[in-house]
Amino acid sequence: MGHYSRLLLLVPLCGVSLAAEIHVSPTGCDDQPGTRDAPVQTLEKARVLAQSLREGRPSEALNILLHPGTHTIRKTIAFKPEDSATAEAPLNILAWHDPAAPDARPLLVGGVAVTGWKKSMFNGRSDVWEADLKPLALTVPFRQVYLNGKRLTWARYPNEDPASPYSGGWAYVDGVRPPMYQDIEGERTDTVVLRAPDARPWSRPQDGDVCIFPRYNWWNRIEKIAAYDPATRTITLAKPMQYAARPEDRFCVMGMREELDARGEWFQDVENQKLYLIPTTGADLTKDVVSVPTVNEILSFSKTHHVRVHGLELTCAEQSAMRFTDCDNALVEKCSIHDLGYFQGSAISLERGTRGTIRGCDIWNIGGHGVSVSGGDKVELERCEHVVDNCYIHHVGQFNRHGIGVMLSGVGIRVAHNLIHDMPRCGIFHGGALNTLEYNRIRHCNLEMEDTGCTYTGGWTGGWHTIRYNHCSESIGFDNHGRFFVFAWGIYLDESGCGNDVYGNIVERCQVGAMHLHNARENHIYNNIFANNAGPHGKTHQLSLQTWNDSPSGIFLRDRQPKMLKEYERLMTNPAWAAMRGMHVSPADPFLPDGTVMRGNVITRNIFYYPSQPDSRYIRENGVNLQHNTIDSNVVWNGGTEPVKTGKQAFKKTLADLTDKIPNADFSRRLAPEEIAPAADRTVAADWRWYHKTLPDLQAAIVTTGGKHSLRLPGAFNEEKQYIKNTCVRSAPFALAPGRHYRLTFQLRHQDATGELIARFVCENQGLWKAFGSRGFLKRSDMSDVVTATEGISCQTAFYLPKPGDADYDARVAELSLQFQFNSSQGWAEISNLRLDEVESATEWEAWQMAGADTHSVVADPLLVDPEHGDFTLRPESPALKLGFEPIPFREIGPYPDDARATWPIQEAAGVRENPQWLQSAPIAKP
């Protein structure tokens, strides 16, 4: 349906004829009748009058008309079931336009103005102003203060850094960071340890909160401080967090008296009912308005049906502007909502109910989510039919950094034609099922998080969404090492997300791929344009596929399986779920014959366009079964100057068996103890020596079975070693001819391995240390090539040895040693059947096709009209059209002009696009 048709549909909704009217004005009086000339003063009084009018005139619509000016809301206006209306006679809460001032509009402020400011000496400073809160009866803590409608900063340490608003202004937990996925027995989740330079003389630490990004950097927490021990520099939180605050996690402390030391900061003395602040440059507290919130929500609706809110501006609340709970046919349109909310809440929330619509709203500077929507019945597959349409949402998540532009957790929700940008995490986060994301423009997301996307969904029973005709770009990513441009995709199907249809989208300029399929299953991805998605340096990949498998060390499947199975069994009580794509596979037994899990994905008729990033990989995959996942009939274009890189290795034929080049390749020659004793680096296998021997008593073994010899390496770890901290052996050096391709194969078994085994060829000569063909096996489950632990598996690695004239040739590479490094602290790894061949190598693209992928795809310029300037239209002679690619309706993407839009044309707010210097990485300094 075109925009013109949508306008026609809105006409009956916008009419206000045949309606009773109640006028509300800041200069009115609640003793008046609520007419235009004698308005009431409060919206609460209008709500009560509306109930009375409804009783006497039930067939008429009711219009509550708010006059321009500031409407102070000290207590939430709570609409209840008895305030409900009908489809024929709705309740409309509308902005009334004064003919004498047509641009003026009503402003609802969910708080009070603080007056009576005077200069005060505070913390030894003379630029602090003080106000008495007793006349306002404000006796409880608040977390927000506004100056002329703009949020000020709660006094904090360290101070905010305006030059680096995302990477600057943080302290870091003391210590050295352990591996992210390493669980630590007995690890506390309610403490934060400061580095020595960050120790502070807080007199009342219990006044403060800690904002911290714990462990994974997937979200932040803001927790109340219970105690602080200066001797150990340890903050104890009032309650445990889901994850521990680990060394080098970033945090700040807010709300301490001693930290009021910068312009734009404030501090509330709750005990003495005082508010202190240092004004921003140019502020005049004798004239300017300082306000503080007194309500969680400005407007709330509970089981209040057929309500329409139109044309209002709302600001200053602890959580939300509007909250709808169990409401049918609620409509919010043409509203401007800004500068409100702490950690919890959303600018607007639709909780349960049916057929709610949020459209044409402008939403910005929100503490939590922009819009949150839930509803429907997942078990029964009943759709709630909520809609979020034609909104402009930016700069949300200012306290809750997991604050999302549009947060979905329901069934049958449509999110369309929205413009979303400058998000700390995703633009749209969609749980539930059967939701539709279409025609949205999403850019500059994930400015404070990693492992995320412009859109995100996942879960074994999460999916069956339609993601179409969206334009996603600049998914940035910020990690817990202080680096930008990491671990962020455009469209993210996470942790077994299933049954999604992804088509007609444009994804460009993301960091590690247009899409990431993390064990995603049964998704159909087609007719998309993916352009230049390998980060600012063009060194990552355009698409990412990552499967789980049956490795005993598989943390993802092991940790998620019980919860996934419980939800799967709950849904399968409805027979209709059995017909849903992918639900024939239970998480109780998810494996393919090769032990992998990811299956049923179809990636076809897409355009991968990255001529400015020829060094990037087309695809990253970690052992995905290509017989059970289809990738074909795509157009791939890396500029044509380099072969397309896929990371796959394959060989057209074997030219020569060179196994004899490797000294004692069959491990048949073993040394007696007296032969080993004179040299500490000798192993039991002749011509194989320890490399930086980890422990003095470390011993390898030769195991003989059926006449075949294997070298068994024990797991070991020594923290005191500078370089090689685990078991590592190497062969005696040998020479290979340069300018040729080589392949090493071997069999590998292990027991109780906790880390990978790395095979590589190394030259160490005249100050040079250079590795060739380095490849790891027995990796963590989600990165593994391994199906089982104890059965022998075939391993292979290959390399090219440069010759004179090649760009990476080095004359010092004369001889090589074969190295095996076993990065496990326990168990053993057993190596056998070594074979070295000279081979005729296939290109990585050829190897990818030989593996069964992209056999009908073409490497060719798709002939886009002007992609560098945003025109992705295909020329008539494009090869993509011959493969069945269908034109994308580019001009329909994003917001559209409409009578229900808050502003038009939209003037996009400044953010990181206009300030790219904000994306300078700030690596964490060591303590």
Side-chain angles (χ1 to χ4, degrees):
M1 182 183 296
H3 297 159
Y4 181 74
S5 299
R6 275 193 290 267
L7 284 169
L8 292 178
L9 288 174
L10 292 176
V11 170
L13 293 174
C14 295
V16 293
S17 59
L18 300 177
E21 294 184 352
I22 302 170
H23 287 257
V24 185
S25 171
T27 59
C29 175
D30 280 354
D31 292 333
Q32 297 182 150
T35 63
R36 173 176 173 176
D37 296 327
V40 298
Q41 185 182 42
T42 67
L43 185 53
E44 175 60 24
K45 180 63 175 179
R47 185 189 68 81
V48 174
L49 289 176
Q51 282 191 16
S52 299
L53 283 173
R54 175 75 62 193
E55 292 176 2
R57 300 156 70 176
S59 62
E60 292 185 18
L62 264 173
N63 295 332
I64 297 176
L65 299 167
L66 279 75
H67 289 215
T70 300
H71 297 254
T72 299
I73 311 293
R74 288 209 59 168
K75 183 179 179 181
T76 297
I77 309 301
F79 291 83
K80 301 172 183 176
E82 52 266 33
D83 297 304
S84 287
T86 65
E88 296 76 20
L91 172 62
N92 301 304
I93 304 170
L94 311 172
W96 180 74
H97 294 286
D98 186 348
D103 294 331
R105 65 190 303 180
L107 171 66
L108 277 63
V109 178
V112 294
V114 180
T115 58
W117 291 95
K118 62 182 181 180
K119 281 287 192 76
S120 174
M121 285 297 297
F122 190 89
N123 287 349
R125 301 178 65 104
S126 60
D127 58 349
V128 178
W129 289 67
E130 169 191 332
D132 189 358
L133 299 177
K134 294 186 184 71
L136 299 173
L138 296 176
T139 59
V140 298
F142 44 79
R143 296 293 184 266
Q144 300 169 79
V145 172
Y146 299 91
L147 175 62
N148 296 331
K150 301 291 184 182
R151 184 188 283 114
L152 298 177
T153 302
W154 197 14
R156 56 174 275 173
Y157 176 82
N159 289 331
E160 289 183 332
D161 182 357
S164 301
Y166 299 110
S167 59
W170 300 105
Y172 301 92
V173 177
D174 195 28
V176 178
R177 184 190 308 279
M180 179 185 290
Y181 288 96
Q182 177 183 320
D183 292 332
I184 299 174
E185 188 174 354
E187 186 175 42
R188 292 186 63 172
T189 63
D190 64 344
T191 58
V192 179
V193 181
L194 281 62
R195 292 177 171 182
D198 297 319
R200 312 292 290 174
W202 296 315
S203 57
R204 290 175 54 88
Q206 66 273 20
D207 288 343
D209 288 7
V210 172
C211 172
I212 187 164
F213 296 76
R215 186 170 175 177
Y216 294 107
N217 199 42
W218 294 337
W219 51 71
N220 71 311
R221 297 299 306 166
I222 297 181
E223 299 293 352
K224 189 72 181 166
I225 295 174
Y228 174 62
D229 182 356
T232 61
R233 308 189 303 278
T234 300
I235 293 172
T236 300
L237 305 176
K239 63 179 183 180
M241 300 184 292
Q242 183 176 359
Y243 301 117
R246 288 190 162 183
E248 300 183 9
D249 285 346
R250 68 191 187 278
F251 72 94
C252 70
V253 176
M254 305 180 293
M256 301 296 197
R257 169 186 294 267
E258 292 81 1
E259 304 308 337
L260 183 61
D261 61 358
R263 286 191 177 276
E265 287 191 340
W266 61 272
F267 167 74
Q268 180 190 12
D269 184 339
V270 178
E271 189 173 48
N272 295 305
Q273 292 182 261
K274 301 283 187 181
L275 178 62
Y276 300 90
L277 70 79
I278 303 174
T280 55
T281 302
D284 182 353
L285 296 191
T286 64
K287 300 177 181 178
D288 295 332
V289 177
V290 175
S291 54
V292 298
T294 57
V295 300
N296 283 336
E297 299 100 19
I298 298 173
L299 305 178
S300 73
F301 302 84
S302 177
K303 298 183 179 178
T304 315
H305 309 309
H306 298 285
V307 175
R308 174 172 166 241
V309 182
H310 175 94
L312 307 183
E313 181 177 0
L314 303 96
T315 188
C316 187
E318 278 291 347
Q319 293 185 8
S320 303
M322 287 178 265
R323 183 175 181 178
F324 296 82
T325 306
D326 297 312
C327 299
D328 297 336
N329 298 288
L331 170 61
V332 179
E333 61 185 5
K334 206 181 178 81
C335 291
S336 296
I337 302 170
H338 61 92
D339 293 281
L340 58 77
Y342 189 53
F343 193 86
Q344 303 295 334
S346 310
I348 309 173
S349 67
L350 291 175
E351 300 175 10
R352 302 182 296 277
T354 61
R355 297 178 297 280
T357 299
I358 301 167
R359 70 176 173 213
C361 295
D362 289 348
I363 298 170
W364 72 97
N365 291 351
I366 305 300
H369 306 307
V371 175
S372 61
V373 185
S374 65
D377 187 314
K378 191 173 179 181
V379 173
E380 298 302 323
L381 291 172
E382 293 178 354
R383 300 170 184 259
C384 64
E385 299 182 4
H386 291 321
V387 175
V388 181
D389 179 66
N390 204 24
C391 292
Y392 176 35
I393 303 171
H394 61 95
H395 293 93
V396 307
Q398 295 188 333
F399 286 104
N400 177 3
R401 268 49 173 227
H402 189 54
I404 308 298
V406 181
M407 169 66 87
L408 307 182
S409 57
V411 182
I413 302 167
R414 178 174 178 258
V415 181
H417 293 285
N418 301 289
L419 170 58
I420 303 172
H421 68 84
D422 284 84
M423 296 286 117
R425 201 171 185 202
C426 311
I428 303 175
F429 192 107
H430 49 122
L434 302 175
N435 299 315
T436 298
L437 282 57
E438 59 184 0
Y439 299 103
N440 298 289
R441 176 70 176 102
I442 308 170
R443 64 173 179 83
H444 294 95
C445 296
N446 306 308
L447 301 176
E448 300 190 61
M449 299 287 175
E450 61 183 309
D451 196 5
T452 176
C454 288
T455 71
Y456 177 99
T457 191
W460 195 276
T461 55
W464 302 276
H465 305 298
T466 298
I467 306 170
R468 63 185 179 188
Y469 308 135
N470 301 286
H471 185 180
C472 302
S473 67
E474 286 94 11
S475 181
I476 303 298
F478 182 68
D479 70 10
N480 54 12
H481 297 276
R483 299 174 301 200
F484 285 108
F485 306 111
V486 298
F487 218 33
W489 294 267
I491 298 172
Y492 194 164
L493 309 180
D494 197 11
E495 298 205 0
S496 305
C498 189
N500 299 287
D501 290 315
V502 182
Y503 62 91
N505 301 283
I506 308 160
V507 182
E508 58 173 329
R509 298 190 300 276
C510 297
Q511 305 317 309
V512 284
M515 290 189 66
H516 182 39
L517 280 66
H518 181 195
N519 201 56
R521 303 168 300 111
E522 304 283 351
N523 299 286
H524 293 174
I525 300 162
Y526 59 96
N527 216 90
N528 301 283
I529 297 177
F530 300 141
N532 299 318
N533 288 293
H537 305 296
K539 298 294 185 182
T540 60
H541 35 265
Q542 305 296 324
L543 181 67
S544 178
L545 310 178
Q546 181 178 337
T547 184
W548 295 349
N549 56 46
D550 62 358
S551 170
S553 61
I555 60 170
F556 281 107
L557 187 57
R558 180 190 68 219
D559 292 350
R560 275 59 162 180
Q561 196 170 35
K563 184 177 180 180
M564 292 190 306
L565 185 58
K566 182 178 180 180
E567 177 67 2
Y568 176 84
E569 292 174 344
R570 185 179 79 94
L571 296 181
M572 290 296 280
T573 59
N574 177 5
W577 269 99
M580 298 288 279
R581 199 162 76 214
M583 287 295 282
H584 64 288
V585 178
S586 166
D589 184 18
F591 303 111
L592 293 167
D594 67 349
T596 60
V597 177
M598 190 170 176
R599 71 175 79 196
N601 296 293
V602 179
I603 303 172
T604 186
R605 300 198 330 267
N606 300 286
I607 294 173
F608 293 87
Y609 179 82
Y610 55 106
S612 65
Q613 300 176 329
D615 290 334
S616 75
R617 278 191 189 181
Y618 158 53
I619 197 162
R620 165 192 174 264
E621 60 85 27
N622 70 316
V624 172
N625 188 319
L626 295 176
Q627 281 65 55
H628 289 268
N629 294 273
T630 300
I631 307 172
D632 207 358
S633 298
N634 300 295
V635 175
V636 180
W637 185 239
N638 67 344
T641 59
E642 299 283 342
V644 174
K645 296 180 179 179
T646 64
K648 278 287 186 184
Q649 294 179 336
F651 310 96
K652 297 179 179 178
K653 60 182 177 180
T654 300
L655 301 177
D657 182 350
L658 303 178
T659 308
D660 289 344
K661 291 274 190 178
I662 304 174
N664 196 16
D666 62 356
F667 307 117
S668 60
R669 293 186 291 112
R670 69 178 72 204
L671 299 180
E674 59 271 19
E675 294 176 291
I676 298 172
D681 66 343
R682 288 180 180 171
T683 73
V684 67
D687 294 320
W688 289 83
R689 294 181 176 250
W690 298 109
Y691 185 62
H692 295 279
K693 191 173 184 180
T694 312
L695 298 169
D697 59 349
L698 201 63
Q699 293 186 11
I702 293 177
V703 178
T704 302
T705 304
K708 182 181 74 173
H709 308 291
S710 303
L711 180 63
R712 179 176 291 180
L713 304 178
F717 177 77
N718 187 346
E719 177 63 41
E720 296 179 0
K721 290 290 185 179
Q722 185 174 1
Y723 300 112
I724 307 294
K725 299 179 184 294
N726 294 94
T727 303
C728 187
V729 298
R730 63 176 176 178
S731 72
F734 54 94
L736 293 175
R740 301 181 186 180
H741 293 270
Y742 298 95
R743 175 184 62 198
L744 173 74
T745 58
F746 61 94
Q747 288 291 112
L748 173 64
R749 295 176 63 239
H750 82 92
Q751 179 174 296
D752 299 329
T754 58
E756 64 182 340
L757 180 126
I758 300 172
R760 60 186 170 226
F761 293 83
V762 174
C763 174
E764 217 170 349
N765 184 34
Q766 301 177 39
L768 173 71
W769 193 98
K770 190 169 185 177
F772 300 89
S774 182
R775 187 176 180 190
F777 308 89
L778 301 175
K779 296 183 181 180
R780 199 179 69 240
S781 66
D782 61 319
M783 299 286 289
S784 180
D785 305 311
V786 177
V787 175
T788 61
T790 56
E791 294 180 15
I793 59 167
S794 297
C795 301
Q796 150 177 310
T797 186
F799 66 97
Y800 171 75
L801 190 62
K803 66 181 184 302
D806 290 340
D808 52 354
Y809 173 75
D810 192 314
R812 291 174 293 177
V813 178
E815 291 184 314
L816 303 175
S817 293
L818 175 55
Q819 277 192 5
F820 291 104
Q821 181 174 328
F822 184 34
N823 290 335
S824 177
S825 60
Q826 64 181 43
W828 49 258
E830 198 173 279
I831 301 156
S832 63
N833 288 15
L834 292 182
R835 179 182 170 114
L836 179 64
D837 293 305
E838 180 188 343
V839 293
E840 181 182 338
S841 180
T843 67
E844 292 188 12
W845 176 254
E846 290 171 332
W848 178 245
Q849 291 184 312
M850 291 165 67
D854 279 309
T855 56
H856 300 93
S857 298
V858 296
V859 177
D861 188 340
L863 301 179
L864 304 171
V865 170
D866 190 6
E868 284 69 29
H869 296 92
D871 189 346
F872 292 93
T873 307
L874 294 178
R875 297 176 187 171
E877 64 273 24
S878 170
L881 297 173
K882 297 176 183 177
L883 291 174
F885 193 93
E886 298 178 358
I888 296 172
F890 305 109
R891 290 173 179 80
E892 294 286 313
I893 296 173
Y896 54 89
D898 186 86
D899 288 344
R901 272 275 332 131
T903 55
W904 193 266
I906 292 173
Q907 302 296 317
E908 296 188 30
V912 296
R913 181 179 66 183
E914 293 75 18
N915 296 277
Q917 71 277 9
W918 291 350
L919 299 180
Q920 294 294 319
S921 296
I924 299 170
K926 297 300 179 183

